[in-house]
Amino acid sequence: MKSHPSLSAALQRIEPSQTTAMTDCATSLREAGRDIISLSVGEPDLATPDHVVEAMQQALRDGRTRYTPVGGTSEAKRAAALHFTRDLGIEASPANVTISAGGKQAIFHALCATIDPGDEVVIPAPWWVSYPEIARFAGASVVPLPTTPASAFRFTAKALEAAITPRTRWLLLNSPGNPTGAVFPADELLAIADVLDRHPHVLVMSDDIYAPLRYNGGDHATLAALRPDLAANGDSGRVLTVSGVSKSHAMTGLRIGFATGPEWLILAMERLQSHSSGNPCSISQAGAVAAMEGSQAFLGDWRDIFRARRDLVCAAINAMPGLSTPVPDGAFYCLVEAAPLIGGKIADDGALALHLLEHGVAVVPASAFGGAHCGLAGFRISFAASEDTLRTALQRIETAVKAL
Ligand code: GLU
């Protein structure tokens, strides 16, 4: 990254987001006339539901273009509380939820509001690109908790116990996980909670944004629902659950995230938000209310669409020489291993991603997700694109691989 003497030490600790950088690069190349398929960003291609669009149009017509309360309108807070209670089984009320400009902002504010220099944040790897960068920006050092395909990218309670120190401030959980699709079952989360009981200084972020996208049935398991005592409203409450409408309702650009947790943490996040963005977009909040209060019946159909895409991509990748991918249990990403293709002409997985880009497909290298901590080199495919688009992209990947 380009440096400049005026950049703060905090800024110099972080890199730009590689998911958004690769997507912006694909957009620029397309604007310059190149035929690029972008499988780099986790963004459903499906249309935002009509009733959501109508609610936003109505909000505009009603002139709801003014500031709202910093942490969201009372309608939006009620809708978020409804979502946490109905969809995730977490006891939530408007007093312990907050609305932000996407889940990313909630995570940013929560970490920046609680981390002091020298603190540690335990993050299971492979991880979503922004977790370690936000932790480092806030002043923490990152403690990776490596996982492998053999354990379905889930860490054990024992590994967590070994990673915790007196300086651990946060454990970040993400189930279903980005980029691995890992889904933690209830018994494993309860074992994790047993470890947390022995370390009451550790806060827990549970990023559940992909909860509707689980392909193996069963109820969604999340720590705050399984162990409400850990998420209680008092000072001892220490679980923050993050969700939102971006992935579930195809509302990525509208930037609405939800978080629920103990009041002390919600208020701290809102204190910071009052000086960063202020309130999240008023029109998007109206859309999020419609999304949460309207029918959720289509989510099952959408999940089936994503399952078919997942199966298409995994079968094709696993048939290509030098590439392999486990079949993810949730979310809409495949983490492709490509170690046999790396070495010689292709120095690392960043070079492999550039090679694929030359063949017209944008993906994000596994190194962006902390793959090196897990001995993993390859790339992430977002299969949130139509089957036709995916088929063309897979043909291009095959051609690119054969060209090596
Ligand atoms: N979370 C999505 C992804 O991983 C969106 C882009 C981003 O914010 O990283 O692709």
Side-chain angles (χ1 to χ4, degrees):
M1 188 180 119
K2 274 198 203 130
S3 199
H4 186 280
S6 297
L7 294 182
S8 69
L11 198 276
Q12 290 186 59
R13 287 195 291 269
I14 66 169
E15 293 293 330
S17 160
Q18 290 201 49
T19 47
T20 53
M22 188 54 110
T23 307
D24 291 352
C25 172
T27 305
S28 313
L29 288 172
R30 273 204 296 248
E31 283 170 2
R34 291 271 310 274
D35 172 17
I36 303 287
I37 297 176
S38 178
L39 304 182
S40 52
V41 75
E43 167 162 77
D45 59 317
L46 305 166
T48 308
D50 285 345
H51 64 282
V52 173
V53 175
E54 275 154 27
M56 291 190 291
Q57 286 171 334
Q58 191 58 47
L60 270 172
R61 280 195 293 270
D62 292 347
R64 292 170 62 186
T65 52
R66 313 284 180 219
Y67 293 130
T68 77
V70 165
T73 61
S74 47
E75 293 88 349
K77 286 200 171 201
R78 274 201 299 275
L82 167 73
H83 163 63
F84 284 118
T85 308
R86 176 192 63 200
D87 305 328
L88 304 183
I90 298 170
E91 280 170 39
S93 73
N96 66 336
V97 304
T98 189
I99 319 292
S100 51
K104 191 183 303 203
Q105 192 186 41
I107 297 166
F108 193 93
H109 286 161
L111 296 190
C112 288
T114 51
I115 284 172
D116 284 318
D119 286 349
E120 295 168 1
V121 176
V122 176
I123 314 181
W127 49 48
W128 174 48
V129 289
S130 290
Y131 295 146
E133 303 301 324
I134 297 172
R136 278 193 278 267
F137 181 79
S141 50
V142 169
V143 177
L145 204 50
T147 65
T148 62
S151 60
F153 292 115
R154 303 201 300 268
F155 64 87
T156 61
K158 199 170 152 209
L160 173 63
E161 181 84 65
I164 292 175
T165 76
R167 293 311 306 261
T168 306
R169 179 68 77 178
W170 283 94
L171 163 67
L172 302 195
L173 294 175
N174 178 210
S175 171
N178 173 6
T180 63
V183 175
F184 277 82
D187 59 333
E188 292 181 23
L189 288 176
L190 286 168
I192 288 168
D194 287 344
V195 174
L196 294 167
D197 284 338
R198 291 192 282 282
H199 303 282
H201 62 293
V202 178
L203 306 172
V204 186
M205 172 98 60
S206 180
D207 180 350
D208 291 27
I209 193 98
Y210 297 99
L213 290 166
R214 288 170 295 106
Y215 302 114
N216 297 334
D219 289 337
H220 175 63
T222 190
L223 201 58
L226 293 165
R227 285 285 307 272
D229 57 312
L230 290 176
N233 231 348
D235 286 352
S236 63
R238 55 191 171 117
V239 177
L240 184 77
T241 308
V242 177
S243 188
V245 288
S246 296
K247 317 293 181 180
S248 60
H249 288 67
M251 292 172 68
T252 44
L254 296 163
R255 309 311 298 135
I256 292 291
F258 306 145
T260 185
E263 229 172 297
W264 69 265
L265 183 52
I266 296 296
L267 291 176
M269 291 162 66
E270 290 188 355
R271 200 195 302 186
L272 199 44
Q273 186 156 305
S274 75
H275 294 295
S276 59
S277 58
N279 65 269
C281 170
S282 55
I283 304 302
S284 300
Q285 289 186 65
V289 171
M292 289 303 117
E293 290 181 350
S295 168
Q296 310 294 305
F298 69 94
L299 292 178
D301 297 338
W302 282 21
R303 187 180 51 233
D304 292 345
I305 291 171
F306 285 117
R307 185 192 284 107
R309 293 170 175 185
R310 173 196 72 165
D311 294 345
L312 169 77
V313 171
C314 290
I317 290 290
N318 283 322
M320 289 183 206
L323 299 184
S324 62
T325 177
V327 179
D329 292 333
F332 39 52
Y333 307 105
C334 280
L335 192 56
V336 179
E337 290 188 80
L341 303 183
I342 290 168
K345 190 172 150 196
I346 298 291
D348 53 27
D349 60 15
L352 182 60
L354 287 179
H355 176 70
L356 294 178
L357 192 60
E358 276 158 24
H359 283 78
V361 184
V363 295
V364 184
S367 47
F369 304 99
H373 295 287
C374 316
L376 213 141
F379 54 92
R380 186 192 76 171
I381 288 178
S382 164
F383 54 81
S386 75
E387 290 193 22
D388 281 349
T389 303
L390 289 170
R391 273 196 200 91
T392 309
L394 288 161
Q395 276 160 7
R396 291 181 186 183
I397 293 174
E398 188 166 19
T399 307
V401 166
K402 284 187 176 151
L404 288 175

